[in-house]
Amino acid sequence: MCAERIQRILTAVMLGIALMFLAQGAAGDALSFKIGVILQVFIILMMLIWAFTNFCPSLWFFNKIFGPCDWNKKDSNG
């Protein structure tokens, strides 16, 4: 695994968790709804920071641990 791929998977997981909390909130749980909104706002803010500054804290962190992806290199599946 490489940094960009892990960051995309993490974003998808976070969006799924936020959706789960929002769905529980729609069923009547006010605390879950608040948690879902807070998670969604956090994800939006991080994406905006990345868009305007070209700096993504999670990519910076994952690049240090896993290294960047080499998209030009063929993987074993293709």
Side-chain angles (χ1 to χ4, degrees), residues 5-30:
R5 191 167 286 167
I6 292 172
Q7 192 266 346
R8 291 174 188 168
I9 292 168
L10 178 66
T11 300
V13 168
M14 291 296 294
L15 286 170
I17 291 170
L19 180 63
M20 178 196 68
F21 277 114
L22 288 169
Q24 288 175 346
D29 186 2

Side-chain angles (χ1 to χ4, degrees), residues 48-56:
L48 287 172
I49 289 170
W50 189 15
F52 288 115
T53 66
N54 200 26
F55 173 72
C56 178

Side-chain angles (χ1 to χ4, degrees), residues 5-69:
R5 191 167 286 167
I6 292 172
Q7 192 266 346
R8 291 174 188 168
I9 292 168
L10 178 66
T11 300
V13 168
M14 291 296 294
L15 286 170
I17 291 170
L19 180 63
M20 178 196 68
F21 277 114
L22 288 169
Q24 288 175 346
D29 186 2
L31 179 61
S32 290
F33 186 76
K34 288 177 187 176
I35 292 170
V37 169
I38 290 169
L39 283 174
Q40 193 76 355
V41 168
F42 174 75
I43 295 166
I44 290 168
L45 287 175
M46 295 306 287
M47 296 295 270
L48 287 172
I49 289 170
W50 189 15
F52 288 115
T53 66
N54 200 26
F55 173 72
C56 178
S58 62
L59 268 179
W60 173 82
F61 179 74
F62 291 143
N63 272 323
K64 297 249 184 237
I65 295 175
F66 301 104
C69 293

